[in-house]
Amino acid sequence: MTQEQLWQVLDPLWADPRVLSALFCGSAATIVLLKWLGHRQIQQKMEEARRTRDLALERMEKAARRFKQENPGTQTAHILSLTMVELAEKLKEGSLSPESVLYSYIGKALEVNQEVNCVIDFVHGCEDQLQKLKKQKEKGLLYGIPVSIKDHIDCKGHVSTGGLVKFLGQVKEEDSVIVQVLKSQGAIPFVKTNIPQTMINYDCSNLIFGQTLNPLNHQKTPGGSSGGEGALIAGGGSLLGIGSDVAGSIRLPSSFCGLCGLKPTGFRISKLGVISPIAGMSSVIGMLGPIARDVDSLALCMKALLCEEMFRLDPTVPPIPFDEEVYTSSKPLRIGYYEEDGYFQPSPSMKRAVQQTRKLLQEAGHTIVPFAPPKIDYMVDELFTRGIFSDGAAHLVDSFKGDIVDPNLKSQFNTYRLPALLKRILAIILKPIYPRIARDLSALCGVGSAKNLWDQHVAVAVG
Ligand SMILES: CCCCCCCC/C=C\CCCCCCCC(=O)NCC(=O)O
């Protein structure tokens, strides 16, 4: 049949409004059906992940119960009350067994989880790690210390979800480098903890595992993105956690939960075996780091991590060990501080904390120098925000494909996915009334070209 003959057959049909409306309704119904099927598939995957999580929690419960029955004399309350440094000493000298410590923390983590929903998986290999440790002659710096691990850090046999459905089912075949190093130092990674969807957020909620609450006040968030860590440690269910931080993800939950956290200098710790929805973004350097109840725990963790094993497993990590001399030195220091950075409004409690710290440092003989962070608007808008979103948020928006956006992230996500032209027009309109929002919107357009990205990297390097 020629094209002309085909049109002769079709022409009268096209002119018929019933055919047109049937075609329109059919297409609309197909789109709705496909969307519904996609949605249902996502829901099913999330339900499956929740079932797996519930089974893991049951397994934890059984392990803790069995240990309690077999060891009724275990001084759980005493173990849980010790600082990490005290615990490490007792484990090393043998006055406490790694079993008693691990199972005490498994039991407590379950209790805290019931209250604030912070644990998403039980690292079942922890019981094998325990047996392995007992056979080793050499005791590492973290011998017998249970450690909680943020969701996106790979643990062999477990999924790193990023709070995203697309990663569900992808069971990791290897431990991340940081988990390998922790184990080589005698630590026992025992649970994985909750995060916000994608981790580019300061709350702690995703549609797979739900919202994590702050144990100090259930009306509040524990902060994010290492919010599961913050909640678990603040609740007493772990005494050392590994989080990650690009733009506050260790520091915010530590602050919101009354804990200590450290974002180490860039590249200090290996990130091999860690997932990220913005992998490739290198204007603001992300790092893994510890969260704990006190500074000495952070120092002990860093001392343990900055070891030959880390430098061997990831040769891109500078082989510089922890500087004990600097850490223990009592030489007076010259320390800069500010109460307000001229951009973000500090709460009265934040100001108070800075003032109290300043006073204590002065009393300890240090020289305290107030300073104003230079070119703050340029630093925050052009180097930080435009740096994180140098691709115009394209990678982040892509990571939501095949997923449902958590309601907590909806306004954030909707802003990111606006076309660049619209963001630019809105920025121009809003500039006279809301200059900061206008600058944010402009920064969210990204840098535009590879040439501009190189210029941006230079600007970050020279300030
Ligand atoms: C009209 C509304 C305008 C909204 C403008 C939004 C501007 C957003 C600017 C900055 C937000 C950056 C959020 C970054 C969170 C990063 C948390 C983090 O460190 N994650 C990494 C990790 O967990 O490793």
Side-chain angles (χ1 to χ4, degrees):
M1 188 187 275
T2 65
Q3 208 175 356
E4 213 171 296
Q5 286 166 323
L6 180 69
W7 275 115
Q8 272 170 6
V9 180
L10 285 178
D11 249 354
L13 280 178
W14 280 123
D16 187 339
R18 283 169 308 175
V19 173
L20 281 178
S21 60
L23 264 175
F24 177 76
C25 293
S27 314
T30 312
I31 291 170
V32 171
L33 183 71
L34 287 175
K35 275 209 157 197
W36 180 80
L37 282 173
H39 207 86
R40 207 178 69 144
Q41 215 172 28
I42 295 172
Q43 294 286 5
Q44 281 170 344
K45 284 186 189 165
M46 291 198 290
E47 276 162 25
E48 173 70 32
R50 282 192 285 272
R51 273 196 296 275
T52 309
R53 188 254 328 252
D54 293 347
L55 284 175
L57 294 176
E58 268 175 38
R59 206 166 161 176
M60 273 175 88
E61 212 168 314
K62 269 191 203 146
R65 203 178 324 121
R66 193 194 56 230
F67 182 79
K68 213 170 168 179
Q69 279 163 359
E70 289 170 8
N71 303 273
T74 306
Q75 296 173 293
T76 305
H78 170 64
I79 291 172
L80 296 174
S81 74
L82 295 171
T83 67
M84 187 173 127
V85 173
E86 289 167 342
L87 196 65
E89 271 163 21
K90 291 195 185 303
L91 282 159
K92 201 159 220 173
E93 73 193 19
S95 59
L96 278 179
S97 70
E99 284 99 328
S100 62
V101 174
L102 176 64
Y103 291 104
S104 296
Y105 269 98
I106 289 180
K108 185 66 186 175
L110 280 166
E111 248 176 57
V112 178
N113 181 57
Q114 267 188 356
E115 192 198 321
V116 295
N117 185 41
C118 51
V119 173
I120 57 155
D121 207 352
F122 174 44
V123 180
H124 41 74
C126 70
E127 294 186 288
D128 297 336
Q129 165 74 355
L130 184 71
Q131 298 312 323
K132 213 168 127 190
L133 270 190
K134 290 201 309 192
K135 287 184 205 136
Q136 277 168 7
K137 275 205 186 115
E138 192 110 342
K139 290 179 177 171
L141 284 173
L142 297 175
Y143 175 76
I145 301 284
V147 183
S148 43
I149 306 286
K150 185 172 173 177
D151 165 296
H152 71 316
I153 302 171
D154 293 355
C155 289
K156 188 177 172 181
H158 296 266
V159 176
S160 300
T161 76
L164 292 160
V165 168
K166 72 168 174 185
F167 290 119
L168 294 177
Q170 296 182 23
V171 178
K172 299 294 171 183
E173 284 173 14
E174 290 299 334
D175 279 332
S176 50
V177 165
I178 192 164
V179 166
Q180 292 183 50
V181 176
L182 285 167
K183 285 182 172 176
S184 76
Q185 287 284 15
I188 310 183
F190 76 118
V191 282
K192 295 195 84 179
T193 56
N194 205 22
I195 49 165
Q197 189 176 33
T198 71
M199 293 175 293
I200 304 302
N201 186 262
Y202 295 125
D203 192 359
C204 191
S205 161
N206 63 70
L207 286 174
I208 309 168
F209 301 117
Q211 171 80 49
T212 299
L213 307 176
N214 189 321
L216 307 178
N217 179 346
H218 291 183
Q219 305 300 315
K220 307 262 184 195
T221 172
S225 65
S226 312
E229 284 302 330
L232 181 65
I233 300 167
S238 170
L239 76 176
L240 176 64
I242 302 296
S244 64
D245 187 320
V246 171
S249 277
I250 287 176
R251 292 161 288 170
L252 264 79
S254 300
S255 160
F256 288 14
C257 297
L259 299 168
C260 298
L262 178 74
K263 178 187 182 186
T265 300
F267 312 106
R268 201 74 170 101
I269 292 177
S270 172
K271 286 192 287 181
L272 292 179
V274 177
I275 62 157
S276 166
I278 51 168
M281 186 285 295
S282 57
S283 299
V284 186
I285 305 300
M287 257 295 100
L288 302 178
I291 303 181
R293 295 179 206 153
D294 51 53
V295 173
D296 282 338
S297 308
L298 303 180
L300 179 57
C301 177
M302 289 306 289
K303 225 178 285 182
L305 290 175
L306 300 175
C307 64
E308 283 309 318
E309 184 68 350
M310 168 88 77
F311 309 144
R312 186 183 69 78
L313 290 169
D314 186 348
T316 67
V317 174
I320 308 169
F322 185 89
D323 195 333
E324 188 67 45
E325 204 181 309
V326 169
Y327 184 63
T328 49
S329 161
S330 53
K331 227 170 80 187
L333 300 170
R334 192 176 147 82
I335 302 165
Y337 86 102
Y338 52 80
E339 280 177 24
E340 291 192 26
D341 62 12
Y343 196 98
F344 298 103
Q345 176 82 43
S347 66
S349 60
M350 287 160 98
K351 268 195 181 180
R352 206 165 50 242
V354 173
Q355 284 160 356
Q356 284 172 0
T357 310
R358 186 203 59 205
K359 193 162 168 279
L360 288 169
L361 288 169
Q362 262 167 341
E363 283 166 7
H366 301 294
T367 306
I368 307 300
V369 188
F371 77 100
K375 299 190 281 182
I376 190 76
D377 285 354
Y378 168 72
M379 294 287 178
V380 176
D381 300 328
E382 291 305 314
L383 302 189
F384 168 76
T385 311
R386 202 182 288 279
I388 289 190
F389 301 109
S390 48
D391 64 345
H395 279 81
L396 194 55
V397 170
D398 261 8
S399 70
F400 282 96
K401 274 188 188 146
D403 229 299
I404 305 170
V405 181
D406 185 290
N408 281 3
L409 273 89
K410 212 133 208 171
S411 55
Q412 192 185 345
F413 173 73
N414 286 341
T415 313
Y416 293 155
R417 70 170 180 176
L418 289 175
L421 182 65
L422 191 54
K423 284 183 203 156
R424 276 198 193 99
I425 294 171
L426 281 174
I428 294 168
I429 298 171
L430 291 174
K431 196 172 170 186
I433 335 158
Y434 299 112
R436 195 182 284 195
I437 292 181
R439 294 203 305 267
D440 276 339
L441 282 167
S442 158
L444 287 178
C445 295
V447 294
S449 68
K451 178 182 175 293
N452 294 347
L453 184 64
W454 287 24
D455 290 341
Q456 220 254 1
H457 287 163
V458 173
V460 169
V462 299

